[in-house]
Amino acid sequence: MSESAQPETTQPGTAQPAGPIAFLGLGHMGGPMAVNLVKAGYTVTGFDVVPAALDAARAHNIPTADTAAEAVAGAAVVLTMLPSGKHLLDAYRGTGGEPGLLEVAGPGTMFLDCSTINVDEAREAAELAVAAGHRSVDAPVSGGVVGAEAGTLTFMVGAPEEDFGAVRPLLEVMGRRVVHCGGHGAGQAAKICNNLILGVSMIAVSEAFVLGEKLGLTHQALFDVASAASGQCWALTTNCPVPGPVPTSPANRDYQPGFAGALMAKDLKLALNALESTGVAARLGPLASEIYDTFAAEGGAGRDFSGIITDIRDKSAH
Ligand code: NAD
């Protein structure tokens, strides 16, 4: 980030416009996040490889560039919100003879990646950025499209202290909670550890409800007990997989996401990769990854991940 890009204040929620931001990846999440930056007064130039995403961005008053290089030229911050680590590393390095973003960007540019990717890929991206004379922050999010639109995302940030301080005002425009988790890659690590808990706990809650059904318990009775006992968890009390006890949970709207099964399957694959590369003797994580892969492949990709309960019920003996 150049001198002129330093945010002038770190007051929560009152970030001053920083230097120009290149926003790459204007999809479900990136589109509304970019809108919030524009509304807050930041100078944003958006780019996406899909023309429809560029059209949608312009319709929301986000100026766009015709190429990534054009968006990045003169930017103080390069913010990416891409599908995977491969997309990110390809964009950083360049493909097909095209120069990568790290080459095109001016010296000392802040590379801020908010995509959800492998921890190892995040560390590699940071190493590449720093080796090219830039700064690097990983800041994956939770909160989904609703959080992106409302500016209420949670950011989990991996970066040296001073880089965290530099991007914090910007993140506070797009989110409500910004947590500094450690150095490069720590944001991604926190994200997949959390989602490992979430994925496994949703399966446990769902199995318990199906077992309760078999044993003649009403959903409400099990909820009333478990939500005030040691079975209490977010999967039960906020995203309850059966309709009724929590009226706002996706189960009450035929499992419309919410947090889609495809994204849970993706995040558990990232957790699985990290479990394997670190040699953790995990058993539930790999199993949960397999369970959500099957769920996603058998029609659950676009449904809320709590729809896993219908899978468990359907596959149970009748
Ligand atoms: P998406 O597919 O809607 O958007 C990604 C966008 O990146 C697409 O528009 C695609 O065309 C664009 N893109 C790909 N390569 C590009 C490149 N080289 N340059 C510019 N644009 C490029 O995905 P999304 O739902 O917005 O998710 C983005 C990231 O956020 C993912 O890593 C996802 O795991 C994570 N995430 C998503 C959610 C969610 O609820 N959707 C929640 C938390 C985290």
Side-chain angles (χ1 to χ4, degrees):
M1 183 187 270
S2 69
E3 200 63 57
S4 64
Q6 293 293 341
E8 293 170 21
T9 174
T10 54
Q11 292 273 312
T14 59
Q16 299 298 305
I21 299 168
F23 201 122
L24 309 184
L26 300 165
H28 291 98
M29 297 292 288
M33 289 164 71
V35 166
N36 284 332
L37 289 173
V38 169
K39 279 188 190 155
Y42 284 88
T43 302
V44 177
T45 304
F47 176 72
D48 196 291
V49 288
V50 172
L54 288 173
D55 291 343
R58 280 191 291 269
H60 286 93
N61 299 320
I62 304 166
T64 62
D66 292 334
T67 63
E70 190 186 319
V72 167
V77 180
V78 175
L79 198 165
T80 39
M81 195 55 173
L82 303 177
S84 74
K86 179 171 173 14
H87 288 86
L88 182 77
L89 290 169
D90 282 353
Y92 276 18
R93 291 194 183 108
T95 49
E98 292 291 316
L101 304 181
L102 298 177
E103 194 180 326
V104 174
T109 298
M110 174 65 78
F111 278 80
L112 169 57
D113 179 46
C114 296
S115 327
T116 303
I117 67 175
N118 278 305
V119 178
D120 291 347
E121 292 169 324
R123 291 189 177 139
E124 188 180 349
E127 273 170 28
L128 289 170
V130 170
H134 302 302
R135 300 164 75 181
S136 176
V137 174
D138 54 287
V141 306
S142 69
V145 175
V146 172
E149 286 170 349
T152 56
L153 294 169
T154 292
F155 285 91
M156 294 147 271
V157 187
E161 191 69 51
E162 71 270 22
D163 291 344
F164 171 67
V167 297
R168 185 177 187 151
L170 210 152
L171 299 180
E172 283 172 342
V173 168
M174 300 180 285
R176 189 158 52 194
R177 210 162 158 248
V178 179
V179 184
H180 189 199
C181 301
H184 291 140
Q188 298 293 348
K191 162 103 186 170
I192 59 165
C193 288
N194 178 73
N195 282 10
L196 174 59
I197 298 172
L198 178 61
V200 169
S201 60
M202 181 55 82
I203 295 170
V205 168
S206 297
E207 288 184 357
F209 270 113
V210 175
L211 178 60
E213 290 166 8
K214 296 278 186 197
L215 297 175
L217 269 180
T218 65
H219 292 158
Q220 193 63 48
L222 178 54
F223 180 86
D224 288 347
V225 171
S227 64
S230 44
Q232 191 276 336
C233 61
W234 189 92
L236 174 71
T237 55
T238 300
N239 218 67
C240 189
V242 293
V246 180
T248 50
S249 79
N252 297 279
R253 45 175 200 271
D254 197 22
Y255 300 98
Q256 280 172 39
F259 186 52
L263 289 171
M264 179 52 88
K266 172 192 168 176
D267 289 1
L268 285 179
K269 189 74 78 200
L270 299 179
L272 181 63
N273 292 342
L275 287 168
E276 284 174 357
S277 71
T278 54
V280 173
R283 297 175 68 184
L284 294 183
L287 191 54
S289 173
E290 193 186 311
I291 288 170
Y292 284 107
D293 271 353
T294 306
F295 174 64
E298 292 179 352
R303 309 182 81 203
D304 189 77
F305 77 114
S306 60
I308 196 74
I309 192 171
T310 54
D311 229 32
I312 296 165
R313 194 183 283 121
D314 292 348
K315 288 174 179 164
S316 299
H318 292 288

